[in-house]
Amino acid sequence: MNDAEIAALLAGAPVEPCGGAALHLLTAADWLRLARLVDPADFAGLFVADGRAHALYFRAAPLLVAVTLEGGAYPALSPVIPDAGWCERLAVDREGAVATGAADTRPAIRHGEGDSAWPRFDAPAGEGAFQVGQGPVAGLIARPVHRRFTIEAGRIVRLEHRHGYACRDIASLLHGKSPRAAARFAARLVGDAVVAHALAFARAAEAAGGCDVPPRAAALRAAMLDIERVTAHLLALAAALDAAGRPGLATSLGRARDDIAAAVAVLFGHRLMMDAVTPGGLEVDARPEALPALAAALAEAAASVRRVGEFRVRRALGPAAALARDRARAVLARGAAIVPAIEAAPPGEIVAALPPVSAAGLGSAGSSRGMVHHWVKLHDGQIAAAALMDPAPRLAGRLEVAAAGLDIEGFGVLEACYAVPPGAIDG
Amino acid sequence: MDDADDPVRVLSTRLAATGQALLGRSLAVRHVDAGSCGGCEIEIGACRRLRGGMAAQGIALVDDIRAADILLVTGVATRNLAEAVRKSLAGMAPPRFVVAAGDCALDGGVFKGAPPVLGGVQAVIPVDLLIAGCPPSPRQILAGLAALLEANAREARVRRTEPNA
Ligand code: SF4
């Protein structure tokens, strides 16, 4: 079995401590061998720090490995793990680290002059094919991304993205700050996963410092994550239904989200729960008087979301029907657990002190797109290096593949249901 | 709550009426994301859905910049989006208004000073109204738009009544 082979491979590798995981230092050959042994779906992210390339795999638990850069390069994972493609392109733009043998070597977020930089799209392949550009200002609520479709006989044969418009360089802004000060930046990577990123970041800092979060904070954090996932699923479903020409149901789903947000504004003091999570615990406690309104809004969400299963709705969603069904199921499953979980949260403190250590840590949290992961390295309690990993770059690659064969309208529905905010890629 | 007391309905009615008085037709808003986390966009979406709000009053988001009266800009204003923001404004016919919504759009917000960030919409184009908040709530966005148009309607009235204006 692969698991036994993976264990044997790791057993021979030196290990460095990393809170929340162990960092296995691999040779270039083992780095590639491991990539072939793991399930490609477990690939969770890639980052470059300390003269090394790091790969994170995650199933039930994280597996963090690194390989030393040789002349600024490391062996590419993308030939065996296609999801790594965009991550490798990002690593070139951010850290100048080159993935040797990468499937795609074009920049991801760097805009500029010269041959290798944007703008440059592959020329249309066949006769009768033409290209259509879209963005960076497109759609009623615009998203800062440029898409280039190659179209043949009314169907998309190729989709390419140009990202980097919304780049704020968040990872470098964390540098030199205390985890508490830096949490505000981590939370603002992407607006539909504020809690997920704030929490993954906090957990990374807590794991590095060996900080135990009070039980009340841990319980409320879990409920906050569920609230955020439910609202993000509702927004993605609403966007997909809008694109699919079902504005009535889209509005119902959107309003259910808005009513949840209004209840959460009372419950945790902010509609998106911005800055509610801090390394060590929480900044705010729950105000139970908001629970009846939250329960009512969640019930409203459940009623609307059940309609996503109707035949006519599924047909309208076309290529996004399966993804929409998964999102609808998640709303029902997670939504039902939220209020009881908040009521059952044990009383007590909500924040613990974070010891000022020199150590590294890894933290994870669930978002509506999948798990998000943060790695931080602290020096005397200040951030010396950090990596923020959202599923967005992996999903961007998958969306490009899934677009092939669709017409532009069908793609619009699928893209809305994917919900990959450019800010989550651009950083 | 009685409809007449609903603050959203009151604000939206005021906004629609002022828009009519200023332009003689329904207001059209073009949104541009100049480098946001997407949080402000979530609340602009919610603003559209407010019961008795924008949509009920015929105020629409449009994707044709030439049809827009208000340019609603979110995000920090990154170097890579400055050109798109300028082009959007250039595509609008007067009278045109620019609203910067969200702390990022005000001055870069927490990202102020980061190398790819110009530091707010005002670093790129002139802004008529700033709406603070991270993100501003749907009601704050609506109230901001109403206040902007009312101020301009007042100014237009003053100009009309001044003898030598
Ligand atoms: S103001 Fe806040 S919500 Fe709006 S884009 Fe900036 S960080 Fe996101």
Side-chain angles (χ1 to χ4, degrees):
Chain A
M1 272 311 288
N2 280 0
D3 282 357
E5 276 187 64
I6 291 172
L9 183 152
L10 296 176
V15 172
E16 266 182 23
C18 173
L23 174 61
H24 303 269
L25 303 175
L26 304 183
T27 62
D30 277 352
W31 163 269
L32 280 176
R33 256 185 71 213
L34 180 66
R36 289 195 195 93
L37 288 171
V38 295
D39 181 344
D42 292 345
F43 174 75
L46 183 134
F47 62 94
V48 174
D50 295 338
R52 295 167 178 158
H54 300 70
L56 177 66
Y57 303 98
F58 191 94
R59 189 175 287 173
L63 168 58
L64 183 63
V65 299
V67 64
T68 302
L69 297 179
E70 294 288 344
Y74 62 99
L77 299 175
S78 52
V80 266
I81 303 176
D83 276 358
W86 270 89
C87 301
E88 290 171 354
R89 292 168 64 184
L90 285 164
V92 179
D93 290 355
R94 292 201 178 120
E95 285 95 14
V98 174
T100 309
D104 189 341
T105 55
R106 292 172 302 164
I109 56 169
R110 187 162 40 89
H111 296 206
E113 319 287 315
D115 272 357
S116 61
W118 296 111
R120 190 175 72 82
F121 290 104
D122 291 351
E127 218 177 296
F130 63 96
Q131 290 193 336
V132 183
Q134 186 190 72
V137 181
L140 288 186
I141 297 184
R143 292 199 154 175
V145 55
H146 181 85
R147 293 201 171 97
R148 186 65 60 100
F149 299 94
T150 304
I151 311 243
E152 207 175 329
R155 301 270 152 189
I156 299 167
V157 290
R158 188 181 165 95
L159 164 63
E160 296 159 274
H161 282 94
R162 178 191 296 160
H163 277 288
Y165 294 98
C167 177
R168 296 145 293 166
D169 206 1
I170 294 183
S172 70
L173 286 171
L174 306 184
H175 203 266
K177 297 192 169 65
S178 72
R180 274 200 208 287
R184 295 168 59 75
F185 300 87
R188 284 166 176 76
L189 177 71
V190 52
D192 68 353
V194 166
V195 175
H197 279 284
L199 187 48
F201 174 77
R203 284 175 172 162
E206 289 153 8
C211 164
D212 283 327
V213 172
R216 179 166 180 79
L220 292 177
R221 282 173 163 192
M224 294 163 109
L225 267 188
D226 275 344
I227 293 171
E228 180 173 84
R229 273 184 282 201
V230 165
T231 53
H233 286 310
L234 289 170
L235 287 169
L237 286 169
L241 285 158
D242 237 338
R246 308 282 306 198
L249 184 52
T251 302
S252 308
L253 290 161
R255 283 187 176 156
R257 174 270 159 190
D258 300 339
D259 291 343
I260 295 171
V264 168
V266 180
L267 185 65
F268 292 117
H270 191 284
R271 288 166 60 90
L272 303 184
M273 296 175 277
M274 202 75 98
D275 304 323
V277 174
T278 188
L282 291 175
E283 290 285 1
V284 289
D285 206 336
R287 290 173 56 186
E289 65 267 30
L291 286 179
L294 179 61
L298 287 165
E300 177 195 341
S304 294
V305 110
R306 282 200 182 91
R307 293 192 46 209
V308 176
E310 289 173 10
F311 175 70
R312 277 179 312 171
V313 177
R314 287 206 315 266
R315 201 176 50 189
L317 285 167
L323 183 54
R325 183 201 55 213
D326 292 348
R327 288 195 183 279
R329 284 184 183 158
V331 169
L332 293 172
R334 296 199 179 277
I338 291 168
V339 172
I342 296 172
E343 284 171 337
E349 295 293 317
I350 54 164
V351 67
L354 206 62
V357 296
S358 296
L362 183 77
S364 308
S367 82
S368 68
R369 270 184 295 283
M371 297 294 283
V372 310
H373 309 275
H374 284 229
W375 173 84
V376 295
K377 189 174 158 189
L378 301 173
H379 185 75
D380 289 338
Q382 296 206 316
I383 293 170
L388 297 71
M389 288 167 275
D390 189 276
R394 290 182 282 134
L395 293 174
R398 288 193 207 168
L399 186 60
E400 289 179 339
V401 174
L406 300 178
D407 57 19
I408 292 278
E409 286 73 33
F411 172 78
V413 180
L414 186 66
E415 181 267 331
C417 203
Y418 257 69
V420 184
I425 295 173
D426 294 344
Chain B
M1 192 186 321
D2 189 336
D3 259 14
D5 298 333
D6 178 357
V8 168
R9 205 170 293 272
V10 171
L11 272 174
S12 317
T13 314
R14 268 170 43 197
L15 180 57
T18 326
Q20 281 287 354
L22 265 178
L23 309 161
R25 58 182 160 77
S26 297
L27 270 176
V29 180
R30 171 72 205 153
H31 167 252
V32 173
D33 179 336
S36 105
C37 78
C40 282
E41 285 65 25
I42 292 176
E43 295 298 44
I44 290 172
C47 194
R48 282 174 81 201
R49 291 187 295 260
L50 278 173
R51 295 172 180 93
M54 285 170 67
Q57 299 295 335
I59 302 159
L61 290 187
V62 295
D63 55 13
D64 181 2
I65 190 67
R66 289 162 303 184
D69 310 300
I70 296 178
L71 189 65
L72 178 61
V73 193
T74 53
V76 293
T78 62
R79 281 178 206 290
N80 287 343
L81 279 164
E83 189 57 28
V85 171
R86 273 190 216 105
K87 273 191 184 154
S88 296
L89 181 66
M92 293 171 76
R96 55 188 188 183
F97 304 101
V98 178
V99 175
D103 288 350
C104 283
L106 251 65
D107 62 356
V110 300
F111 305 111
K112 190 165 37 184
V117 171
L118 293 172
V121 180
Q122 291 181 100
V124 183
I125 53 171
V127 172
D128 298 298
L129 178 78
L130 302 165
I131 305 177
C134 179
S137 72
R139 281 193 193 190
Q140 285 171 314
I141 296 169
L142 196 58
L145 295 179
L148 167 70
L149 287 202
E150 286 178 348
N152 277 281
R154 265 197 305 278
E155 232 172 71
R157 262 199 309 277
V158 171
R159 272 201 304 272
R160 275 199 298 273
T161 49
E162 276 171 10
N164 299 321

